[in-house]
Amino acid sequence: MWSDIEWVNNIKLALSLLASITTIVGIIALFFTIKQYKQNAKNREIDIQMRKTDYDLVVLTHFSENIIKKTSKFHKKLKNETNTKEFRDMEDNKKKKEILINIKLRLGIIHIFNLLEKEALYITSDITHEQVLYNIVGGIVCEFMVENLDVFDRVTSERAPYDNLNEILERWCLEKDIDHLNGEKELINEKIKNLKRNRKKSFSGFE
């Protein structure tokens, strides 16, 4: 009888030990599962950051090989067209403004807006490091856009689809601090408000 009881106790002890071992193994397995999950998440984040860096290089290449050259050429031609005594001495400011807009249109500013809109799409889609791009080309973009808000105002009021460029204009040229634009922020803010009002008015017929 006592031998039977001892046998049963041995079985219970063995089962209890087996359960404890199973629990420990389960905890160890869970630990490695969590560790692997964290490593995979870290690897995914590294992969995402690497892909963003690839797109940063794409955008910067577009600027260095195309956009900067086109904006520089545009500025040079615009200066030649407007640096005349006839244009400088024009007293009718409204007419002078219209002539200036027409000159900019003739020199291909719409094409530059289209190029900037494409790059703005990369940025607003969150597939790039926005701060990195802003630090490198933010001043170029904002300077060009602020100087040509007269044309941008005109084309956006005519339902031109520049949603991403509008967003970059507001985020980069108004919300962030660019030294040479700090004194013009009130003017920029007012112009952006005008753009929004014109855009809303322009699309009101579709609502």
Side-chain angles (χ1 to χ4, degrees):
M1 178 179 177
W2 291 109
S3 61
D4 291 341
I5 293 174
E6 186 177 352
W7 180 77
V8 171
N9 287 336
N10 287 338
I11 291 178
K12 287 182 177 180
L13 180 61
L15 290 174
S16 176
L17 182 60
L18 181 61
S20 297
I21 293 173
T22 302
T23 301
I24 293 171
V25 170
I27 291 172
I28 293 173
L30 180 59
F31 170 78
F32 281 107
T33 299
I34 293 172
K35 186 176 180 180
Q36 185 64 42
Y37 174 81
K38 288 182 176 180
Q39 184 61 46
N40 290 340
K42 184 178 180 180
N43 290 339
R44 284 196 298 273
E45 179 60 26
I46 292 173
D47 187 50
I48 289 170
Q49 296 306 318
M50 289 180 66
R51 286 201 296 269
K52 283 190 171 187
T53 299
D54 289 339
Y55 281 115
D56 291 344
L57 293 174
V58 169
V59 172
L60 292 175
T61 300
H62 290 165
F63 268 91
S64 64
E65 294 183 356
N66 193 17
I67 294 175
I68 292 175
K69 292 179 181 178
K70 288 189 181 298
T71 55
S72 297
K73 190 175 180 180
F74 172 84
H75 284 137
K76 186 176 180 179
K77 287 185 175 181
L78 182 62
K79 185 177 180 180
N80 290 337
E81 293 261 1
T82 56
N83 191 25
T84 63
K85 187 176 186 304
E86 181 183 1
F87 185 81
R88 291 196 305 269
D89 294 344
M90 194 175 294
E91 295 182 358
D92 188 338
N93 288 330
K94 186 175 181 181
K95 183 179 179 181
K96 191 173 185 178
K97 179 181 177 181
E98 286 301 315
I99 291 175
L100 181 60
I101 289 174
N102 287 330
I103 291 173
K104 290 180 177 181
L105 289 170
R106 179 163 50 79
L107 293 178
I109 196 170
I110 296 298
H111 179 57
I112 298 176
F113 285 157
N114 291 342
L115 293 175
L116 290 173
E117 170 67 13
K118 180 182 176 182
E119 304 313 313
L121 178 59
Y122 279 105
I123 298 164
T124 57
S125 298
D126 195 31
I127 60 173
T128 60
H129 297 100
E130 181 176 347
Q131 186 62 42
V132 171
L133 296 177
Y134 166 75
N135 290 340
I136 299 173
V137 298
I140 296 170
V141 173
C142 289
E143 185 173 6
F144 182 82
M145 291 305 299
V146 169
E147 288 177 354
N148 296 289
L149 279 173
D150 52 351
V151 187
F152 196 63
D153 186 11
R154 177 68 56 84
V155 296
T156 50
S157 66
E158 294 173 358
R159 305 191 184 101
Y162 291 116
D163 292 339
N164 299 291
L165 190 49
N166 265 305
E167 187 172 341
I168 289 300
L169 178 63
E170 188 165 354
R171 272 159 49 175
W172 283 17
C173 309
L174 183 63
E175 294 179 1
K176 294 182 181 291
D177 292 324
I178 297 181
D179 292 340
H180 69 274
L181 294 178
N182 282 342
E184 301 180 39
K185 282 203 168 185
E186 288 187 13
L187 177 61
I188 298 171
N189 189 28
E190 185 59 35
K191 288 187 175 182
I192 289 175
K193 286 180 181 178
N194 288 336
L195 286 174
K196 288 182 176 180
R197 281 197 294 268
N198 290 337
R199 193 170 180 80
K200 185 176 181 181
K201 186 185 299 183
S202 179
F203 282 92
S204 61
F206 291 93
E207 297 177 354

